[in-house]
Amino acid sequence: MAGLLLGDVSHQGAHQVGSQRYSEEKPEDGSRWYFSRKEIEENSPSKGDGIDLKKETYLRKSYCTFLQDLGMRLKVPQVTIATAIIFCHRFFLRQSHAKNDRRTIATVCMFLAGKVEETPRPLKDVILVSYEIINKKDPTAVQRIKQKEVYEQQKELILLAERVVLATLAFDLNVHHPYKPLVEAIKKFKVAQNALAQVAWNFVNDGLRTSLCLQFKPHHIAAGAIFLAAKFLKVKLPSDGEKVWWQEFDVTPRQLEGWCLFFRY
């Protein structure tokens, strides 16, 4: 497993992003984690270390792909994978890629997500599978990680990284996803429920590879995914009666059109 480059954890609770300052005293409604796209890009810790937006976007997608693979091999639900990805996004909102190995951090995030979502996997399993994925081009990796000395070294690395991740997240492991509001809303529709749910779900998963979860609340992402799915399937959503469909999410059609652009970048 790649070595961990640790940033200075003494400043974890006070990294400046835009006009909002991170603090352990932020409210528990999750508002500490939402910023504009401009704030996220211009105030990125990685940017401060010379990593440009194109490179950071690549790194973000890279650890998302890694976590998807890791989660599937560990046979955890998609919600657990999504939680791990969001933990990772939040970590690198505060910490630089130049000082932290993304795959080591991602491994920790998967381990934590398993516990948070009540789908825990033994630390040993997480470490073994992660090591195999990271070293997939090395045919000797599978046997090497089974050696006690190598395994203990990786375990120590992950436990150290876990402390850094928890400190960086200010021990805030509360995550909500778009999946539940998305499914609940579609159940009320009378058109193409299964197809609509599947396509919208896929759009939500695609959005995980971007900074959407750092910009919009889960029910807004759900609304955008449903809107896009309906356009993709050429399905007309309920727009008459006492309450039109988008009012379920407290949004306007104009907002939905704008959010669709974020699913594409």
Side-chain angles (χ1 to χ4, degrees):
M1 191 176 297
L4 177 68
L5 303 172
L6 297 180
D8 181 2
V9 297
S10 64
H11 299 294
Q12 304 295 353
H15 184 79
Q16 187 78 30
V17 174
S19 60
Q20 184 168 342
R21 195 170 178 83
Y22 287 121
S23 168
E24 291 185 13
E25 297 179 358
K26 283 292 177 186
E28 296 304 315
D29 61 0
S31 62
R32 75 172 78 184
W33 297 115
Y34 296 111
F35 299 91
S36 69
R37 180 176 173 183
K38 183 178 180 181
E39 286 176 320
I40 293 169
E41 293 177 357
E42 292 189 355
N43 298 285
S44 162
S46 298
K47 180 181 178 182
D49 284 331
I51 296 176
D52 62 23
L53 177 60
K54 183 177 180 181
K55 177 67 172 179
E56 186 167 14
T57 300
Y58 163 77
L59 293 172
R60 179 183 294 120
K61 290 181 178 179
S62 173
Y63 65 65
C64 289
T65 299
F66 171 79
L67 281 168
Q68 192 70 42
D69 190 7
L70 179 59
M72 290 177 68
R73 294 196 191 198
L74 288 170
K75 298 181 180 179
V76 298
Q78 178 61 32
V79 171
T80 301
I81 295 173
T83 295
I85 288 174
I86 290 176
F87 285 164
C88 228
H89 284 328
R90 290 178 176 180
F91 178 88
F92 285 110
L93 182 67
R94 294 181 170 186
Q95 292 276 12
S96 172
H97 278 283
K99 297 173 181 173
N100 299 274
D101 177 73
R102 67 190 185 282
R103 293 175 298 188
T104 302
I105 296 301
T107 301
V108 171
C109 289
M110 179 59 73
F111 180 59
L112 291 174
K115 292 189 283 187
V116 168
E117 297 298 343
E118 299 183 353
T119 56
R121 295 297 183 266
L123 177 59
K124 184 175 183 179
D125 290 356
V126 177
I127 290 174
L128 291 177
V129 176
S130 172
Y131 189 88
E132 290 173 13
I133 295 173
I134 292 171
N135 298 281
K136 59 186 176 183
K137 294 183 179 180
D138 181 355
T140 67
V142 175
Q143 293 304 318
R144 188 168 61 250
I145 189 58
K146 293 179 181 179
Q147 298 172 11
K148 184 177 179 180
E149 183 179 349
V150 177
Y151 171 76
E152 289 298 328
Q153 183 181 33
Q154 298 310 313
K155 180 180 177 181
E156 183 178 353
L157 179 66
I158 293 302
L159 292 177
L160 173 61
E162 182 181 33
R163 293 197 293 272
V164 177
V165 171
L166 288 171
T168 300
L169 300 183
F171 293 85
D172 179 6
L173 304 180
N174 188 31
V175 174
H176 296 287
H177 295 290
Y179 301 117
K180 185 176 180 180
L182 183 153
V183 171
E184 288 180 348
I186 290 177
K187 282 181 180 178
K188 299 176 183 179
F189 303 158
K190 296 181 180 180
V191 291
Q193 288 183 337
N194 292 337
L196 193 63
Q198 185 60 61
V199 174
W201 187 284
N202 290 341
F203 275 124
V204 169
N205 289 339
D206 289 344
L208 284 170
R209 298 166 65 86
T210 74
S211 61
L212 268 177
C213 66
L214 301 176
Q215 299 175 62
F216 303 110
K217 293 182 178 180
H219 67 285
H220 290 159
I221 295 176
I226 290 173
F227 183 71
L228 262 183
K231 290 186 101 176
F232 179 80
L233 295 171
K234 295 181 173 56
V235 169
K236 182 175 174 57
L237 298 173
S239 58
D240 52 17
E242 293 184 3
K243 197 170 187 179
V244 296
W245 82 270
W246 60 77
Q247 290 177 326
E248 294 274 344
F249 298 95
D250 191 28
V251 298
T252 66
R254 185 173 181 179
Q255 286 176 310
L256 289 171
E257 288 282 4
W259 289 337
C260 286
L261 297 175
F262 289 92
F263 279 90
R264 299 188 178 104
Y265 87 86

